[in-house]
Amino acid sequence: MRTQVAIIGAGPSGLLLGQLLHQVGIDAVVIEQRSGDYVLGRIRAGVLEQGTIDLMDQLGLGERMHAEGLVHGGINLGFRNTRQRIDMQALTGGKQVMVYGQTEVTRDLMDARAACGAKTVYQAQNVRLHDFDGARPRVTYTKDGVNHEVECDFIAGCDGYHGVSRASAPQAALRTYEKVYPFGWLGVLSDTPPAAHELIYSNHERGFALCSMRSETRSRYYVQCSLDDKVEQWSDQAFWDELRRRLDPAVAEAMVTGPSIEKSIAPLRSFVAEPMRFGRLFLAGDAAHIVPPTGAKGLNLAASDVRYLARGLTEFYADKSEAGIDAYSDRCLRRVWKAVRFSWWFTSLMHKFPDGGEFGQKIQEAEIGYLLGSTAASTALAENYVGLPYEV
Ligand code: RFL
Ligand code: PHB
Protein backbone atom coordinates (compact mmCIF):
# COMPACT_ATOMS: atom_id res chain seq x y z
CA MET A 1 0.00 0.00 0.00
CA ARG A 2 1.17 3.55 -0.72
CA THR A 3 -0.02 6.75 0.96
CA GLN A 4 1.31 10.25 1.56
CA VAL A 5 1.09 10.24 5.35
CA ALA A 6 0.97 7.13 7.55
CA ILE A 7 -0.69 8.04 10.85
CA ILE A 8 0.02 5.74 13.78
CA GLY A 9 -2.86 5.74 16.29
CA ALA A 10 -6.60 6.49 16.03
CA GLY A 11 -6.92 8.62 19.15
CA PRO A 12 -7.94 12.27 18.90
CA SER A 13 -4.61 13.41 17.43
CA GLY A 14 -4.47 10.74 14.72
CA LEU A 15 -8.12 11.11 13.71
CA LEU A 16 -8.03 14.93 13.77
CA LEU A 17 -4.88 14.93 11.63
CA GLY A 18 -6.49 12.46 9.23
CA GLN A 19 -9.48 14.74 8.68
CA LEU A 20 -7.37 17.91 8.39
CA LEU A 21 -5.27 16.24 5.69
CA HIS A 22 -8.31 14.81 3.93
CA GLN A 23 -9.76 18.30 3.77
CA VAL A 24 -6.80 19.53 1.70
CA GLY A 25 -6.59 16.43 -0.45
CA ILE A 26 -3.60 14.77 1.24
CA ASP A 27 -3.97 11.00 1.40
CA ALA A 28 -3.43 9.36 4.79
CA VAL A 29 -3.87 5.91 6.30
CA VAL A 30 -4.51 5.55 10.03
CA ILE A 31 -3.02 2.43 11.64
CA GLU A 32 -4.41 1.59 15.10
CA GLN A 33 -3.53 -1.37 17.29
CA ARG A 34 -6.92 -1.59 19.06
CA SER A 35 -10.48 -1.99 17.80
CA GLY A 36 -12.68 1.05 17.18
CA ASP A 37 -14.95 0.01 20.08
CA TYR A 38 -11.99 -0.23 22.44
CA VAL A 39 -10.86 3.29 21.48
CA LEU A 40 -14.39 4.62 22.08
CA GLY A 41 -14.63 2.82 25.42
CA ARG A 42 -11.77 4.79 26.99
CA ILE A 43 -13.26 7.51 29.17
CA ARG A 44 -10.94 10.48 29.12
CA ALA A 45 -11.10 14.20 28.44
CA GLY A 46 -14.15 16.33 28.95
CA VAL A 47 -13.26 19.95 28.24
CA LEU A 48 -12.54 21.55 24.85
CA GLU A 49 -10.82 24.91 24.47
CA GLN A 50 -12.04 27.39 21.88
CA GLY A 51 -9.19 26.42 19.52
CA THR A 52 -10.28 22.77 19.60
CA ILE A 53 -13.92 23.77 19.04
CA ASP A 54 -12.78 25.88 16.07
CA LEU A 55 -10.88 22.92 14.63
CA MET A 56 -13.97 20.69 14.78
CA ASP A 57 -15.98 23.50 13.14
CA GLN A 58 -13.32 23.93 10.44
CA LEU A 59 -13.69 20.23 9.67
CA GLY A 60 -17.46 20.63 9.34
CA LEU A 61 -17.92 18.43 12.43
CA GLY A 62 -19.35 20.98 14.82
CA GLU A 63 -23.04 20.20 14.47
CA ARG A 64 -23.47 17.55 17.18
CA MET A 65 -20.87 19.24 19.40
CA HIS A 66 -22.80 22.53 19.36
CA ALA A 67 -26.14 20.76 19.82
CA GLU A 68 -25.09 18.46 22.67
CA GLY A 69 -22.00 20.12 24.18
CA LEU A 70 -22.37 22.32 27.26
CA VAL A 71 -20.83 25.80 27.01
CA HIS A 72 -19.22 26.93 30.26
CA GLY A 73 -18.13 30.47 31.04
CA GLY A 74 -16.70 29.69 34.47
CA ILE A 75 -15.35 27.13 36.90
CA ASN A 76 -15.78 26.79 40.66
CA LEU A 77 -12.92 26.44 43.10
CA GLY A 78 -13.86 24.58 46.27
CA PHE A 79 -11.83 25.35 49.36
CA ARG A 80 -12.38 25.10 53.11
CA ASN A 81 -15.97 23.93 52.71
CA THR A 82 -16.91 26.87 50.50
CA ARG A 83 -16.99 27.37 46.77
CA GLN A 84 -16.23 30.40 44.66
CA ARG A 85 -16.73 30.91 40.93
CA ILE A 86 -14.05 32.14 38.58
CA ASP A 87 -15.83 33.98 35.78
CA MET A 88 -13.55 32.98 32.92
CA GLN A 89 -15.75 34.60 30.33
CA ALA A 90 -15.62 38.01 31.99
CA LEU A 91 -11.89 37.73 32.70
CA THR A 92 -10.89 36.73 29.15
CA GLY A 93 -13.04 39.04 27.06
CA GLY A 94 -15.76 36.49 26.36
CA LYS A 95 -13.91 33.19 25.96
CA GLN A 96 -15.60 29.96 27.02
CA VAL A 97 -14.96 26.23 26.99
CA MET A 98 -17.14 23.37 25.76
CA VAL A 99 -17.89 20.29 27.82
CA TYR A 100 -18.03 17.57 25.15
CA GLY A 101 -16.39 14.26 25.92
CA GLN A 102 -13.39 12.83 24.12
CA THR A 103 -15.54 9.79 23.31
CA GLU A 104 -17.93 12.02 21.36
CA VAL A 105 -15.11 13.89 19.57
CA THR A 106 -13.62 10.53 18.62
CA ARG A 107 -16.97 9.16 17.46
CA ASP A 108 -17.59 12.23 15.26
CA LEU A 109 -14.13 11.90 13.74
CA MET A 110 -14.50 8.15 13.16
CA ASP A 111 -17.88 8.67 11.48
CA ALA A 112 -16.48 11.43 9.26
CA ARG A 113 -13.55 9.23 8.30
CA ALA A 114 -15.82 6.35 7.38
CA ALA A 115 -18.15 8.68 5.44
CA CYS A 116 -15.33 10.04 3.26
CA GLY A 117 -13.96 6.57 2.59
CA ALA A 118 -10.57 7.26 4.19
CA LYS A 119 -8.69 4.13 5.23
CA THR A 120 -8.27 3.15 8.87
CA VAL A 121 -6.69 -0.15 9.85
CA TYR A 122 -7.86 -1.29 13.29
CA GLN A 123 -6.33 -4.15 15.27
CA ALA A 124 -2.96 -3.78 13.55
CA GLN A 125 -0.39 -5.82 15.47
CA ASN A 126 3.35 -5.43 15.67
CA VAL A 127 3.40 -1.94 14.11
CA ARG A 128 6.95 -0.93 13.13
CA LEU A 129 8.36 2.31 11.68
CA HIS A 130 11.22 2.18 9.14
CA ASP A 131 13.52 4.50 7.16
CA PHE A 132 12.09 7.82 8.34
CA ASP A 133 15.62 9.26 8.25
CA GLY A 134 15.31 9.24 4.44
CA ALA A 135 12.74 10.27 1.83
CA ARG A 136 10.90 6.93 1.67
CA PRO A 137 9.66 5.87 5.10
CA ARG A 138 7.65 2.67 5.59
CA VAL A 139 5.34 1.25 8.21
CA THR A 140 4.85 -2.47 8.63
CA TYR A 141 2.23 -4.31 10.65
CA THR A 142 0.45 -7.62 10.92
CA LYS A 143 -3.30 -8.02 10.69
CA ASP A 144 -5.14 -11.34 10.98
CA GLY A 145 -1.81 -13.11 10.63
CA VAL A 146 -0.93 -11.36 7.34
CA ASN A 147 2.06 -8.98 7.06
CA HIS A 148 1.44 -5.57 5.48
CA GLU A 149 3.68 -2.70 4.39
CA VAL A 150 2.71 0.95 3.89
CA GLU A 151 5.06 3.15 1.87
CA CYS A 152 4.69 6.85 2.60
CA ASP A 153 6.28 10.30 2.48
CA PHE A 154 5.83 11.03 6.19
CA ILE A 155 4.90 9.22 9.40
CA ALA A 156 2.81 10.93 12.07
CA GLY A 157 3.33 9.30 15.46
CA CYS A 158 -0.06 9.87 17.12
CA ASP A 159 0.04 6.72 19.22
CA GLY A 160 -0.01 8.08 22.74
CA TYR A 161 2.41 7.84 25.62
CA HIS A 162 2.93 4.06 25.38
CA GLY A 163 3.10 3.96 21.58
CA VAL A 164 5.82 2.70 19.27
CA SER A 165 6.61 6.01 17.54
CA ARG A 166 8.59 7.79 20.25
CA ALA A 167 10.29 4.50 21.08
CA SER A 168 11.40 4.26 17.41
CA ALA A 169 13.09 7.67 17.40
CA PRO A 170 16.89 7.62 17.65
CA GLN A 171 17.27 7.65 21.43
CA ALA A 172 20.49 9.70 21.33
CA ALA A 173 18.59 12.54 19.63
CA LEU A 174 15.74 12.42 22.13
CA ARG A 175 15.64 14.44 25.34
CA THR A 176 12.88 13.82 27.86
CA TYR A 177 11.66 15.76 30.89
CA GLU A 178 9.44 14.09 33.44
CA LYS A 179 7.69 14.64 36.73
CA VAL A 180 5.65 11.87 38.32
CA TYR A 181 3.14 12.96 40.97
CA PRO A 182 2.77 10.91 44.16
CA PHE A 183 -0.96 10.23 43.71
CA GLY A 184 -3.56 9.25 41.11
CA TRP A 185 -7.14 10.08 40.17
CA LEU A 186 -9.95 7.64 40.73
CA GLY A 187 -12.69 8.49 38.20
CA VAL A 188 -16.33 7.46 38.12
CA LEU A 189 -18.86 7.94 35.34
CA SER A 190 -22.54 7.74 36.29
CA ASP A 191 -25.92 8.42 34.75
CA THR A 192 -26.84 11.03 37.33
CA PRO A 193 -27.38 14.78 36.93
CA PRO A 194 -24.20 16.82 37.52
CA ALA A 195 -23.62 18.16 41.04
CA ALA A 196 -23.40 21.74 39.71
CA HIS A 197 -23.86 23.55 36.40
CA GLU A 198 -20.13 24.18 36.04
CA LEU A 199 -17.08 22.15 37.07
CA ILE A 200 -15.94 22.18 40.69
CA TYR A 201 -12.23 21.77 41.42
CA SER A 202 -11.97 21.18 45.16
CA ASN A 203 -8.91 21.47 47.39
CA HIS A 204 -9.59 19.52 50.57
CA GLU A 205 -7.46 18.31 53.45
CA ARG A 206 -8.43 14.73 52.54
CA GLY A 207 -7.30 15.33 48.95
CA PHE A 208 -8.45 16.83 45.66
CA ALA A 209 -11.89 16.22 44.13
CA LEU A 210 -13.38 17.22 40.79
CA CYS A 211 -17.04 17.34 39.75
CA SER A 212 -17.36 17.27 35.99
CA MET A 213 -19.97 16.05 33.54
CA ARG A 214 -20.69 14.75 30.07
CA SER A 215 -24.28 15.99 29.73
CA GLU A 216 -27.24 17.15 31.82
CA THR A 217 -27.81 13.53 32.81
CA ARG A 218 -24.31 12.06 32.91
CA SER A 219 -21.66 13.02 35.48
CA ARG A 220 -17.94 12.46 35.73
CA TYR A 221 -16.28 12.69 39.14
CA TYR A 222 -12.73 12.22 40.34
CA VAL A 223 -11.07 11.94 43.74
CA GLN A 224 -7.35 12.02 44.39
CA CYS A 225 -6.27 8.55 45.49
CA SER A 226 -3.15 6.67 46.46
CA LEU A 227 -1.04 5.14 43.69
CA ASP A 228 -1.35 1.85 45.57
CA ASP A 229 -5.14 1.88 45.38
CA LYS A 230 -6.89 -0.65 43.16
CA VAL A 231 -10.24 0.06 41.51
CA GLU A 232 -11.69 -3.12 43.05
CA GLN A 233 -11.07 -1.70 46.54
CA TRP A 234 -13.41 1.19 45.83
CA SER A 235 -17.09 0.27 46.02
CA ASP A 236 -19.47 2.84 44.55
CA GLN A 237 -20.61 3.69 48.07
CA ALA A 238 -17.03 4.27 49.26
CA PHE A 239 -16.42 6.56 46.27
CA TRP A 240 -19.55 8.66 46.84
CA ASP A 241 -18.83 8.94 50.56
CA GLU A 242 -15.29 10.11 49.93
CA LEU A 243 -16.36 12.55 47.21
CA ARG A 244 -19.01 14.07 49.48
CA ARG A 245 -16.47 14.58 52.27
CA ARG A 246 -14.30 16.65 49.93
CA LEU A 247 -17.08 19.00 48.74
CA ASP A 248 -18.82 21.89 50.45
CA PRO A 249 -21.94 20.88 52.38
CA ALA A 250 -24.45 22.46 49.97
CA VAL A 251 -23.15 20.49 46.99
CA ALA A 252 -22.50 17.32 48.99
CA GLU A 253 -26.06 17.21 50.31
CA ALA A 254 -27.74 17.97 46.99
CA MET A 255 -25.60 15.63 44.91
CA VAL A 256 -27.44 12.74 43.26
CA THR A 257 -25.53 9.46 43.23
CA GLY A 258 -26.13 6.19 41.41
CA PRO A 259 -24.36 3.11 40.09
CA SER A 260 -21.04 3.74 38.36
CA ILE A 261 -20.90 2.87 34.66
CA GLU A 262 -17.11 3.21 34.53
CA LYS A 263 -14.49 3.38 37.24
CA SER A 264 -10.75 3.70 36.67
CA ILE A 265 -7.54 4.99 38.22
CA ALA A 266 -5.14 7.21 36.26
CA PRO A 267 -1.63 8.12 37.41
CA LEU A 268 -0.57 11.77 37.09
CA ARG A 269 2.50 12.73 35.15
CA SER A 270 4.13 15.66 33.36
CA PHE A 271 6.32 14.54 30.46
CA VAL A 272 7.82 16.23 27.41
CA ALA A 273 9.96 14.67 24.67
CA GLU A 274 12.09 16.98 22.55
CA PRO A 275 12.28 17.42 19.65
CA MET A 276 8.95 16.41 18.14
CA ARG A 277 10.43 15.69 14.71
CA PHE A 278 13.00 13.11 13.60
CA GLY A 279 13.56 13.31 9.84
CA ARG A 280 10.22 12.35 8.34
CA LEU A 281 8.68 11.20 11.62
CA PHE A 282 6.59 13.71 13.57
CA LEU A 283 5.31 13.06 17.09
CA ALA A 284 1.98 14.61 18.08
CA GLY A 285 -0.25 14.59 21.17
CA ASP A 286 0.40 12.22 24.06
CA ALA A 287 3.17 10.50 22.06
CA ALA A 288 5.25 13.62 22.69
CA HIS A 289 3.90 15.00 25.94
CA ILE A 290 1.69 14.21 28.91
CA VAL A 291 0.14 16.64 31.34
CA PRO A 292 -1.74 15.81 34.55
CA PRO A 293 -5.49 16.14 33.81
CA THR A 294 -6.04 18.96 36.32
CA GLY A 295 -5.77 21.69 33.68
CA ALA A 296 -7.81 19.75 31.06
CA LYS A 297 -5.07 20.33 28.51
CA GLY A 298 -4.08 16.92 27.05
CA LEU A 299 -6.62 16.62 24.26
CA ASN A 300 -6.38 20.32 23.53
CA LEU A 301 -2.60 20.08 23.08
CA ALA A 302 -3.10 17.13 20.75
CA ALA A 303 -5.39 19.36 18.70
CA SER A 304 -2.92 22.25 18.54
CA ASP A 305 -0.06 19.92 17.53
CA VAL A 306 -1.94 18.40 14.63
CA ARG A 307 -3.18 21.79 13.52
CA TYR A 308 0.46 22.90 13.15
CA LEU A 309 1.40 19.60 11.54
CA ALA A 310 -1.42 19.68 9.00
CA ARG A 311 -0.42 23.22 8.06
CA GLY A 312 3.22 22.22 7.62
CA LEU A 313 2.32 19.23 5.47
CA THR A 314 -0.10 21.29 3.41
CA GLU A 315 2.66 23.83 2.71
CA PHE A 316 4.97 20.97 1.78
CA TYR A 317 2.61 19.54 -0.83
CA ALA A 318 0.89 22.71 -2.06
CA ASP A 319 3.76 25.23 -1.98
CA LYS A 320 6.79 22.91 -2.07
CA SER A 321 7.93 24.64 1.11
CA GLU A 322 9.50 22.88 4.08
CA ALA A 323 9.22 25.96 6.33
CA GLY A 324 6.14 24.66 8.17
CA ILE A 325 7.46 21.18 8.86
CA ASP A 326 10.83 22.64 9.83
CA ALA A 327 9.13 24.96 12.36
CA TYR A 328 6.78 22.22 13.63
CA SER A 329 8.69 21.02 16.66
CA ASP A 330 9.65 24.43 18.07
CA ARG A 331 6.22 25.88 17.40
CA CYS A 332 4.48 23.03 19.21
CA LEU A 333 6.91 22.95 22.11
CA ARG A 334 6.47 26.64 22.90
CA ARG A 335 2.75 26.03 23.44
CA VAL A 336 3.27 22.63 25.07
CA TRP A 337 5.58 23.97 27.77
CA LYS A 338 3.11 26.71 28.69
CA ALA A 339 0.40 24.08 29.14
CA VAL A 340 2.81 21.84 31.06
CA ARG A 341 3.54 24.75 33.38
CA PHE A 342 -0.13 25.55 33.89
CA SER A 343 -1.11 21.92 34.50
CA TRP A 344 1.76 21.46 36.98
CA TRP A 345 0.83 24.68 38.79
CA PHE A 346 -2.88 23.85 39.03
CA THR A 347 -2.07 20.30 40.15
CA SER A 348 0.33 21.60 42.80
CA LEU A 349 -2.25 24.08 44.06
CA MET A 350 -5.20 21.70 44.35
CA HIS A 351 -3.80 18.36 45.59
CA LYS A 352 -2.70 17.10 48.96
CA PHE A 353 0.98 16.20 48.74
CA PRO A 354 2.13 13.38 51.04
CA ASP A 355 5.21 15.34 52.06
CA GLY A 356 3.61 18.80 51.87
CA GLY A 357 3.04 19.12 55.60
CA GLU A 358 1.17 21.91 57.33
CA PHE A 359 3.40 24.53 55.74
CA GLY A 360 2.47 23.27 52.27
CA GLN A 361 -1.20 23.37 53.19
CA LYS A 362 -0.93 26.94 54.47
CA ILE A 363 0.82 28.07 51.30
CA GLN A 364 -1.94 26.48 49.20
CA GLU A 365 -4.57 28.25 51.29
CA ALA A 366 -2.79 31.58 50.87
CA GLU A 367 -2.47 31.09 47.13
CA ILE A 368 -6.12 30.12 46.67
CA GLY A 369 -7.13 33.15 48.75
CA TYR A 370 -4.95 35.34 46.56
CA LEU A 371 -6.30 33.75 43.40
CA LEU A 372 -9.90 34.36 44.41
CA GLY A 373 -9.27 37.89 45.65
CA SER A 374 -7.05 39.23 42.91
CA THR A 375 -8.30 40.00 39.40
CA ALA A 376 -4.74 39.69 38.08
CA ALA A 377 -4.31 36.20 39.56
CA SER A 378 -7.73 34.91 38.53
CA THR A 379 -7.21 36.30 35.02
CA ALA A 380 -3.99 34.29 34.75
CA LEU A 381 -5.91 31.13 35.67
CA ALA A 382 -8.78 31.96 33.33
CA GLU A 383 -6.68 32.72 30.24
CA ASN A 384 -4.75 29.48 30.63
CA TYR A 385 -7.87 27.41 31.30
CA VAL A 386 -9.75 28.66 28.21
CA GLY A 387 -6.57 28.09 26.18
CA LEU A 388 -3.64 30.27 25.22
CA PRO A 389 -3.67 31.58 21.65
CA TYR A 390 -2.15 29.63 18.78
CA GLU A 391 0.82 31.08 16.92
CA VAL A 392 -0.30 32.29 13.51
P1 RFL B 1 -4.34 8.65 22.72
O1 RFL B 1 -5.73 9.10 23.00
O2 RFL B 1 -3.62 7.89 23.77
O3 RFL B 1 -4.40 7.80 21.39
C1 RFL B 1 -3.31 7.06 20.91
C2 RFL B 1 -3.83 5.91 20.07
O4 RFL B 1 -2.71 5.18 19.58
C3 RFL B 1 -2.97 3.79 19.74
N1 RFL B 1 -1.68 3.08 19.81
C4 RFL B 1 -1.14 2.45 18.75
N2 RFL B 1 -1.56 2.28 17.49
C5 RFL B 1 -0.77 1.56 16.66
N3 RFL B 1 0.41 0.99 17.05
C6 RFL B 1 0.86 1.13 18.30
N4 RFL B 1 2.01 0.57 18.69
C7 RFL B 1 0.08 1.88 19.22
N5 RFL B 1 0.22 2.22 20.51
C8 RFL B 1 -0.86 2.94 20.85
C9 RFL B 1 -3.78 3.71 21.01
O5 RFL B 1 -4.53 2.50 21.09
C10 RFL B 1 -4.66 4.95 20.89
O6 RFL B 1 -5.87 4.67 20.23
O7 RFL B 1 -3.40 9.89 22.35
P2 RFL B 1 -3.76 11.24 21.53
O8 RFL B 1 -4.53 10.93 20.29
O9 RFL B 1 -2.50 11.99 21.44
O10 RFL B 1 -4.80 12.00 22.48
C11 RFL B 1 -4.42 12.48 23.73
C12 RFL B 1 -5.61 12.50 24.68
O11 RFL B 1 -6.22 11.22 24.66
C13 RFL B 1 -5.20 12.87 26.11
O12 RFL B 1 -4.26 13.90 26.11
C14 RFL B 1 -6.41 13.32 26.96
O13 RFL B 1 -7.31 12.27 27.16
C15 RFL B 1 -5.93 13.85 28.32
N6 RFL B 1 -7.04 14.21 29.21
C16 RFL B 1 -7.70 15.41 29.06
N7 RFL B 1 -7.38 16.25 28.06
C17 RFL B 1 -8.08 17.41 27.88
O14 RFL B 1 -7.75 18.17 26.96
N8 RFL B 1 -9.16 17.76 28.68
C18 RFL B 1 -9.54 16.96 29.71
O15 RFL B 1 -10.53 17.28 30.36
C19 RFL B 1 -8.79 15.75 29.95
N9 RFL B 1 -9.13 14.92 30.95
C20 RFL B 1 -7.42 13.32 30.23
C21 RFL B 1 -8.48 13.72 31.11
C22 RFL B 1 -6.81 12.09 30.41
C23 RFL B 1 -7.20 11.26 31.44
N10 RFL B 1 -6.56 10.01 31.55
C24 RFL B 1 -7.23 8.79 31.73
C25 RFL B 1 -5.16 9.91 31.25
C26 RFL B 1 -8.88 12.91 32.13
C27 RFL B 1 -8.22 11.70 32.33
C28 RFL B 1 -8.67 10.87 33.50
C1 PHB C 1 -13.43 15.31 32.72
O1 PHB C 1 -14.60 15.68 32.58
O2 PHB C 1 -13.09 14.13 32.52
C2 PHB C 1 -12.40 16.27 33.13
C3 PHB C 1 -12.73 17.62 33.23
C4 PHB C 1 -11.78 18.53 33.63
C5 PHB C 1 -10.51 18.09 33.93
C6 PHB C 1 -10.18 16.75 33.81
C7 PHB C 1 -11.13 15.84 33.42
O3 PHB C 1 -9.58 18.99 34.35
Side-chain angles (χ1 to χ4, degrees):
M1 197 190 326
R2 156 112 208 128
T3 189
Q4 289 173 295
V5 182
I7 301 174
I8 318 295
S13 46
L15 292 172
L16 271 171
L17 179 63
Q19 287 317 106
L20 287 166
L21 295 179
H22 174 77
Q23 204 173 39
V24 292
I26 299 173
D27 187 60
V29 174
V30 174
I31 302 161
E32 163 65 49
Q33 73 175 2
R34 305 285 193 173
S35 68
D37 283 345
Y38 183 96
V39 171
L40 285 173
R42 290 189 296 229
I43 306 299
R44 290 188 172 174
V47 179
L48 308 183
E49 296 174 354
Q50 188 62 51
T52 309
I53 300 168
D54 293 345
L55 210 55
M56 291 292 280
D57 282 334
Q58 185 193 319
L59 290 169
L61 298 179
E63 197 177 314
R64 197 164 73 93
M65 175 182 73
H66 288 291
E68 296 177 16
L70 306 172
V71 175
H72 286 190
I75 54 170
N76 299 290
L77 292 191
F79 164 60
R80 279 200 178 171
N81 290 332
T82 63
R83 187 173 11 116
Q84 210 165 310
R85 182 171 187 263
I86 304 240
D87 189 339
M88 298 184 304
Q89 194 171 0
L91 292 164
T92 60
K95 294 202 178 122
Q96 298 170 314
V97 295
M98 173 86 81
V99 172
Y100 189 63
Q102 179 165 331
T103 305
E104 306 312 320
V105 173
T106 307
R107 196 189 307 280
D108 292 344
L109 288 163
M110 282 180 173
D111 288 351
R113 205 166 162 76
C116 70
K119 188 165 170 65
T120 310
V121 180
Y122 285 104
Q123 295 178 304
Q125 303 305 311
N126 203 18
V127 177
R128 296 284 176 268
L129 285 55
H130 311 270
D131 302 336
F132 51 81
D133 52 347
R136 306 199 126 261
R138 289 175 301 122
V139 177
T140 55
Y141 62 91
T142 309
K143 169 134 177 135
D144 299 329
V146 181
N147 295 330
H148 297 266
E149 179 172 279
V150 180
E151 293 176 4
C152 55
D153 300 330
F154 297 99
I155 303 175
C158 299
D159 49 351
Y161 180 68
H162 298 288
V164 64
S165 298
R166 192 181 67 255
S168 306
Q171 298 302 298
L174 188 69
R175 175 129 197 228
T176 60
Y177 304 82
E178 184 171 44
K179 179 172 179 60
V180 177
Y181 299 86
F183 39 73
W185 277 20
L186 169 65
V188 157
L189 189 69
S190 64
D191 276 328
T192 52
H197 288 302
E198 293 173 333
L199 274 62
I200 305 173
Y201 290 84
S202 179
N203 172 305
H204 192 272
E205 59 193 12
R206 294 181 65 88
F208 171 75
L210 170 60
C211 303
S212 181
M213 65 201 72
R214 291 292 177 271
S215 69
E216 303 285 9
T217 56
R218 182 168 281 191
S219 299
R220 180 67 165 161
Y221 297 105
Y222 299 95
V223 294
Q224 175 183 350
C225 66
S226 161
L227 282 173
D228 298 326
D229 282 6
K230 301 274 173 285
V231 176
E232 307 78 57
Q233 296 168 333
W234 281 90
S235 65
D236 286 359
Q237 193 57 49
F239 178 85
W240 295 123
D241 288 347
E242 188 56 36
L243 178 63
R244 279 205 168 95
R245 284 188 202 110
R246 299 184 188 189
L247 301 173
D248 64 277
V251 168
E253 276 159 33
M255 194 170 62
V256 180
T257 61
S260 64
I261 49 178
E262 194 265 1
K263 199 187 282 164
S264 51
I265 293 180
L268 268 67
R269 178 192 307 272
S270 301
F271 172 87
V272 182
E274 294 188 355
M276 288 171 59
R277 177 195 181 180
F278 304 87
R280 287 188 167 224
L281 166 66
F282 300 92
L283 302 180
D286 279 16
H289 40 73
I290 295 284
V291 286
T294 325
K297 290 287 162 251
L299 167 60
N300 292 298
L301 280 181
S304 58
D305 286 355
V306 298
R307 182 178 169 279
Y308 291 137
L309 183 53
R311 203 173 70 182
L313 292 170
T314 305
E315 285 173 19
F316 178 87
Y317 286 110
D319 309 335
K320 312 247 175 304
S321 163
E322 299 198 11
I325 56 174
D326 286 346
Y328 171 74
S329 179
D330 287 346
R331 196 172 267 161
C332 289
L333 285 166
R334 279 193 288 275
R335 195 166 191 281
V336 165
W337 273 110
K338 288 181 189 136
V340 169
R341 184 211 67 83
F342 173 66
S343 305
W344 158 81
W345 168 79
F346 202 26
T347 302
S348 309
L349 182 66
M350 300 306 290
H351 289 75
K352 183 178 173 64
F353 282 74
D355 56 358
E358 289 177 353
F359 181 80
Q361 177 109 12
K362 283 287 187 189
I363 292 292
Q364 281 186 342
E365 286 179 17
E367 185 157 6
I368 293 173
Y370 171 58
L371 193 60
L372 295 172
S374 154
T375 306
S378 45
T379 303
L381 166 61
E383 70 179 1
N384 278 279
Y385 195 89
V386 299
L388 294 176
Y390 290 173
E391 289 180 24
V392 281

